[in-house]
Amino acid sequence: MKFSGKLVGLLLLGAGYAVAVGLMVRHVTQETRPDRVTIRVAQWQLEGGVRQAFAAMIRRYEQLNPRVHVELISIPDRTYRQWAQTQLVGGEAPDIIEYSIDYNNVERYFAPISDEVLKPNPYNRGTPLEGVPWRDTFLDAMANSDGFNVRLNQYYAATLTQHSMRLIYNRPMLREITGGDAPPTTYREFVALCARVEAYARERHLTLAPLANSKDTVIGEAMFIFDSASSAVAQRLDHRHVFGALTKEVALDYLRGEWSFRDPEMRIGFELLAELGRHSTPGFLQLSRDSALMDFVRGRTMMIVAPSWEASSLKELCPFELGAFRYPVPLQDDPAYGPRMLGPYADGRLATLMAMYLNRQTRHRAEALDFLHFITSVEGNQIFTDVSTWLPAIVGVRPSAYSRQFLPIYNGYIWFIDGSFLNLSGDDAIAHVRNNFFRLWGPEGRAEAYAEALDAGLRPRILSDLTRNLTVQVQNLTGGDSAAGAAHMAAGPAGATAPLALLPARLEGRTYQMLTVVHAEADKAGKAAP
Amino acid sequence: MNATEHIGLCQRLGRALFAGLAFMGAVTARGGELTAGWVALTNYRADEAMQVFAVGAQAADARVAREARFGRGVALLTRQPVTASQVEEARELFRALAESGTDEFAQGARFYLGRIAQHHQEQPDPEEAARQFRQLLAEHERSVWAQSALGRLALLQLYALDPGFTPAQRIAAAERLLAQAHVPAAEGEVRVAIAEAIFYYRLPAQLALPHLLAAERLGGSDRAGRADLLLQIAELSRLAGLKAQAARYYHLFLRENPRDTANYNARMHLAEVEPPVPAPAGP
């Protein structure tokens, strides 16, 4: 029997149609099964192991709760924000959504969980966390920017993991080049190791660099190195005496002329970054994260600059044994930099991540909240950690032997609350810092040239960031006014004696402080104040 | 029954039905159903709230009708998209309420007149905001609305009013408002606002210490605010050489925030003010 091309095409089309109808019918019957509720969960982590971890948590949850069916929707991070916001605006969004405070409009789309966080997580019964308020079962007690929204003064999100920046290395290659497999523990040892790898490559005419790096991954590492080395400046800017400052406060300090990138204390940070670039894959500023991964996987570098969330993917991709260590920032005993160092340094603020928010419009609030409880219980988070090999977010959950290498170190000084000198007031300042990386790491790059370029263009960019931010802050204030008055009225006579739960004056005061500086700057520039 | 009679009967029935529904609406509103509007507003569902208040505004009970008009004004301030004309309509509603009584709705309306001038209108008018808040404090000093306004008036005083004032004069003006604080939360708000302004103006930080200590004694801070308070008191006490007080507050911070990243810094500074515990005597 002979088939014409047209017939084959029609048959394929028919088969495709039948499959589509089948899938649709399956979906509809699932949705309409009267004996169970379906909740949907959206997230953007497509790294190795994460979707499998969700599948494992869902399997266990459905075992415990046969009345509830959970669907996972995984969307690539490049399109996630637009997708989520479209769904939210259209009223079709999933019940639980991974989201970020940086996406704004948290109060419009999501329900606060402040009333819930002081109650115990029911899934922790029979564990050491039984009876402990849900909030206090998180390693950071929900004190991360998504967990507790400082601007809105409400708890919003439950988190699943934590992360760190690490240098991941090819253990057999390290052994072959150095004769041992212990990673460097001091800055000088690290520099010596890089020199040894370069010599090894030269002697054998190999295409081999010490570090795989990229324009994407270098950012996190650069922030850690630069902020650690510039601790003296950050400490000086702790005007509120709380062991730290918000990036917007530091940006205001910049506008007030209290620091600049050419301050002597900043110089070491730039020198360390320049050194990092010299040992990285040539032209790494042109490379994407995927190219850096390929360089490392194919053995063209001995180490890779990587956030811990890449570790699970690397474990799947690499045919060799991996190790990991933290970039050893110079300490007070360093022969050259020691006198200006203020270590030891923490790996940033203790902040758990992967924030899962509760959709304000969900029709299944109780079930969605219950699922959030489960995935952040000792059992649920242990499943997540074991399957994904990501780090845990819950007290008492054990990281795997592999992920233990990525456990953040918090026993050290940290002065930024929410960012970095290289991650200042908003999109414009951040773009300025990154768009000038070539002055540091390009073929003619120099630390001084980079510092000069940063200072040359930073002021107007901070100003535009803060001006935009002020609009958001005022919207928060005004939205909060109505909600606070309404809550007072809804409470009736019983709740009528306490003042309104407005945004605290200390937070509204920050808006005024920003307004004052921005107005002064705008006046100086001869522009109309916003 | 001919067609005309039929139509007439239908019209009478319709009128009776409408009257019945209106009566029920009024009765329901009087029965506390405006609460549903307030609850909707706390959840940012302004459209839903406005429907509830629209029914309430028809109530025969004048108090219910006033509450409903007040509710409409509050909802207008947050119904998206918030436009200038919507804010203006809210202002008119609040003005009418504020000038036609002394009840809670008149007080609330005065409070919102202040807030509109402070933040909601396109060009803020700090003088007008302060005028409304001061009038509210003068007429109903101990009311919830006036006590809520106190912290906002302090902010105006600290940052927006009297352009010729020095930072020290601004702080002094805000400190005078403390005499009008009658509930701990209101006093705490003003004291914390003053302390933060002292830091912002780079005045000697020690000036903030009595305000922070008072705010801590008063209680009522949210969690993040309390963590800041404890650290600020500990740090300023250490810098002032008040070692025992510094140690007490470092310990409080560490106990209440066992997993805060600032713990390392706190422990290091605690070691500076607390004498090392002597080793137990040997046998």
Side-chain angles (χ1 to χ4, degrees):
Chain A
M1 196 173 173
K2 212 173 163 187
F3 292 102
S4 71
K6 196 184 271 182
L7 184 61
V8 170
L10 280 172
L11 281 172
L12 282 174
L13 194 66
Y17 179 74
V19 169
V21 168
L23 286 173
M24 196 180 76
V25 167
R26 186 167 153 233
H27 181 72
V28 168
T29 46
Q30 270 179 353
E31 276 291 308
T32 54
R33 267 184 61 171
D35 59 332
R36 68 178 188 179
V37 166
T38 296
I39 58 169
R40 294 181 301 147
V41 181
Q43 62 94 28
W44 73 72
Q45 318 294 160
L46 303 188
E47 291 84 356
V50 178
R51 279 167 292 170
Q52 293 87 330
F54 262 102
M57 288 191 293
I58 290 169
R59 257 196 315 278
R60 176 64 179 144
Y61 180 75
E62 290 182 350
Q63 254 178 16
L64 297 170
N65 299 278
R67 202 182 62 77
V68 183
H69 172 58
V70 185
E71 277 182 15
L72 178 67
I73 304 168
S74 300
I75 305 285
D77 55 0
R78 284 181 193 171
T79 54
Y80 186 83
R81 180 177 178 172
Q82 291 84 346
W83 175 84
Q85 290 183 336
T86 308
Q87 301 282 311
L88 285 160
V89 169
E92 297 295 326
D95 306 273
I96 296 171
I97 301 171
E98 185 182 7
Y99 203 76
S100 162
I101 188 176
D102 297 332
Y103 295 174
N104 293 328
N105 281 323
V106 161
E107 72 278 25
R108 299 244 157 253
Y109 298 144
F110 300 106
I113 52 173
S114 302
D115 292 343
E116 305 295 334
V117 300
L118 295 179
K119 300 175 196 164
N121 180 342
Y123 287 99
N124 282 334
R125 268 185 220 119
T127 76
L129 297 183
E130 178 170 351
V132 175
W134 190 22
R135 179 189 74 189
D136 298 331
T137 65
F138 291 82
L139 287 166
D140 60 353
M142 285 187 160
N144 57 78
S145 54
D146 292 290
F148 181 75
N149 189 309
V150 175
R151 279 189 288 125
L152 303 169
N153 217 35
Q154 295 269 17
Y155 289 91
Y156 271 94
T159 43
L160 290 179
T161 188
Q162 53 183 322
H163 282 304
S164 61
M165 284 305 297
R166 287 291 179 268
L167 300 180
I168 300 177
Y169 63 95
N170 179 329
R171 208 179 271 271
M173 189 186 285
L174 177 69
R175 268 196 296 266
E176 187 186 323
I177 295 177
T178 67
D181 67 356
T185 55
T186 69
Y187 173 68
R188 296 295 153 189
E189 284 177 17
F190 171 72
V191 173
L193 173 63
C194 291
R196 197 148 176 195
V197 174
E198 282 155 354
Y200 180 89
R202 261 196 317 274
E203 287 157 12
R204 289 164 179 75
H205 306 289
L206 297 173
T207 307
L208 176 69
L211 272 170
N213 209 340
S214 74
K215 64 177 188 287
D216 306 319
T217 41
V218 74
I219 294 166
E221 191 69 62
M223 288 195 290
F224 167 66
I225 295 171
F226 192 82
D227 290 343
S228 299
S230 310
S231 288
V233 182
Q235 186 183 29
R236 173 155 62 78
L237 299 174
D238 180 25
H239 298 293
R240 294 183 60 243
H241 302 278
V242 291
F243 295 134
L246 294 161
T247 44
K248 290 181 179 64
E249 291 167 353
V250 175
L252 282 184
D253 297 341
Y254 185 88
L255 293 181
R256 296 172 84 175
E258 295 186 347
W259 67 275
S260 86
F261 281 109
R262 282 165 297 169
D263 285 352
E265 301 105 308
M266 295 288 198
R267 188 177 173 79
I268 296 173
F270 287 120
E271 285 178 8
L272 294 177
L273 292 186
E275 179 85 26
L276 183 83
R278 274 195 290 279
H279 298 306
S280 296
T281 333
F284 73 91
L285 273 183
Q286 308 300 319
L287 301 179
S288 69
R289 154 198 172 195
D290 292 345
S291 304
L293 288 175
M294 274 307 119
D295 281 338
F296 181 67
V297 172
R298 290 183 178 168
R300 291 198 289 251
T301 68
M302 198 188 75
M303 298 172 273
I304 181 168
V305 175
S308 57
W309 64 78
E310 299 284 26
S312 56
S313 300
L314 281 169
K315 199 173 169 214
E316 288 179 359
L317 291 170
C318 292
F320 45 82
E321 192 189 351
L322 298 172
F325 65 99
R326 187 167 81 146
Y327 175 91
V329 179
L331 291 169
Q332 285 86 327
D333 59 359
D334 185 86
Y337 299 136
R340 293 212 166 186
M341 293 287 113
L342 289 176
Y345 314 102
D347 269 321
R349 291 263 154 187
L350 169 50
T352 57
L353 306 162
M354 207 176 161
M356 309 303 287
Y357 283 76
L358 197 58
N359 184 349
R360 193 179 270 282
Q361 296 187 56
T362 175
R363 282 174 291 145
H364 307 298
R365 181 185 158 89
E367 289 81 4
L369 188 63
D370 194 59
F371 184 66
L372 274 186
H373 275 137
F374 177 71
I375 62 178
T376 56
S377 66
V378 173
E379 182 185 4
N381 200 235
Q382 189 68 61
I383 294 172
F384 178 81
T385 302
D386 289 346
V387 179
S388 67
T389 70
W390 281 22
L391 293 165
I394 301 299
V395 175
V397 172
R398 296 172 311 280
S400 66
Y402 176 64
S403 61
R404 203 165 290 138
Q405 303 175 94
F406 303 90
L407 270 177
I409 295 167
Y410 295 122
N411 223 15
Y413 289 107
I414 172 78
W415 295 99
F416 269 97
I417 292 172
D418 66 340
S420 156
F421 282 115
L422 302 181
N423 195 45
L424 276 174
S425 48
D427 292 347
D428 289 353
I430 292 169
H432 179 62
V433 167
R434 294 180 189 177
N435 291 343
N436 279 288
F437 276 163
F438 75 94
R439 296 182 196 277
L440 177 67
W441 287 316
E444 309 294 322
R446 281 184 314 114
E448 299 79 9
Y450 184 48
E452 275 168 30
L454 291 187
D455 280 336
L458 195 56
R459 186 168 284 268
R461 285 165 175 96
I462 288 179
L463 203 53
S464 65
D465 281 336
L466 296 185
T467 303
R468 278 197 310 280
N469 192 261
L470 273 169
T471 308
V472 175
Q473 287 196 22
V474 171
Q475 280 169 1
N476 284 334
L477 286 172
T478 54
D481 276 358
S482 295
H488 166 72
M489 296 302 296
T497 51
L500 307 193
L502 298 162
L503 205 66
R506 75 175 195 286
L507 300 182
E508 190 168 330
R510 286 185 196 160
T511 304
Y512 273 112
Q513 294 171 0
M514 201 183 282
L515 264 170
T516 309
V517 176
V518 168
H519 275 243
E521 280 296 307
D523 287 347
K524 260 194 262 172
K527 293 179 193 162
Chain B
M1 193 184 284
N2 62 28
T4 316
E5 283 170 339
H6 209 109
I7 291 167
L9 179 64
C10 285
Q11 283 175 337
R12 280 197 298 280
L13 278 171
R15 276 198 293 272
L17 186 61
F18 180 79
L21 284 173
F23 174 74
M24 280 169 64
V27 168
T28 326
R30 193 180 298 134
E33 279 304 307
L34 291 184
T35 303
W38 293 119
V39 170
L41 255 189
T42 58
N43 288 309
Y44 293 86
R45 297 198 304 268
D47 285 319
E48 193 180 317
M50 285 181 74
Q51 287 172 14
V52 175
F53 295 133
V55 173
Q58 306 299 320
D61 184 331
R63 184 181 159 77
V64 173
R66 271 176 75 78
E67 180 175 347
R69 286 203 295 283
F70 178 57
R72 178 177 170 78
V74 179
L76 282 169
L77 293 181
T78 192
R79 188 181 65 171
Q80 299 296 310
V82 179
T83 60
S85 63
Q86 198 167 293
V87 172
E88 198 48 44
E89 185 188 341
R91 192 208 306 273
E92 286 309 314
L93 275 169
F94 290 138
R95 188 173 292 151
L97 285 165
E99 288 169 3
S100 60
T102 57
D103 58 7
E104 182 175 25
F105 313 120
Q107 296 165 31
R110 182 76 65 201
F111 171 81
Y112 280 110
L113 284 172
R115 287 301 272 175
I116 287 173
Q118 191 170 18
H119 288 305
H120 293 252
Q121 65 190 38
E122 278 178 18
Q123 281 301 320
D125 183 348
E127 285 76 20
E128 171 62 10
R131 193 184 71 75
Q132 295 290 352
F133 291 150
R134 284 184 185 128
Q135 186 172 344
L136 181 57
L137 280 157
E139 292 172 355
H140 309 280
E141 186 170 296
R142 289 172 185 272
S143 83
V144 167
W145 298 100
Q147 291 298 298
S148 302
L150 196 64
R152 312 299 131 174
L153 180 56
L155 290 173
L156 286 165
Q157 202 67 70
L158 289 166
Y159 298 104
L161 298 172
D162 305 310
F165 270 24
T166 62
Q169 286 172 313
R170 291 178 182 281
I171 302 293
E175 283 174 335
R176 283 194 288 277
L177 293 175
L178 287 168
Q180 291 178 283
H182 298 290
V183 292
E187 183 180 342
E189 280 279 86
V190 176
R191 288 195 180 275
V192 170
I194 291 171
E196 293 287 343
I198 288 168
F199 298 142
Y200 169 75
Y201 288 118
R202 312 291 189 250
L203 294 169
Q206 290 306 323
L207 295 174
L209 188 53
H211 292 294
L212 295 168
L213 283 164
E216 199 274 325
R217 273 195 303 272
L218 289 161
S221 299
D222 58 274
R223 180 170 168 244
R226 177 162 172 79
D228 280 359
L229 262 182
L230 298 179
L231 278 182
Q232 287 166 335
I233 294 171
E235 277 292 277
L236 294 181
S237 302
R238 178 182 66 86
L239 293 169
L242 305 168
K243 290 186 176 184
Q245 180 167 285
R248 190 163 69 249
Y249 281 95
Y250 284 128
H251 279 299
L252 254 179
F253 172 80
L254 291 166
R255 195 160 60 237
E256 292 183 18
N257 303 276
R259 290 189 294 281
D260 194 294
T261 317
N263 282 4
Y264 185 84
N265 304 46
R267 284 202 310 275
M268 293 300 109
H269 285 201
L270 171 62
E272 290 177 26
V273 294
E274 199 167 59
V277 181

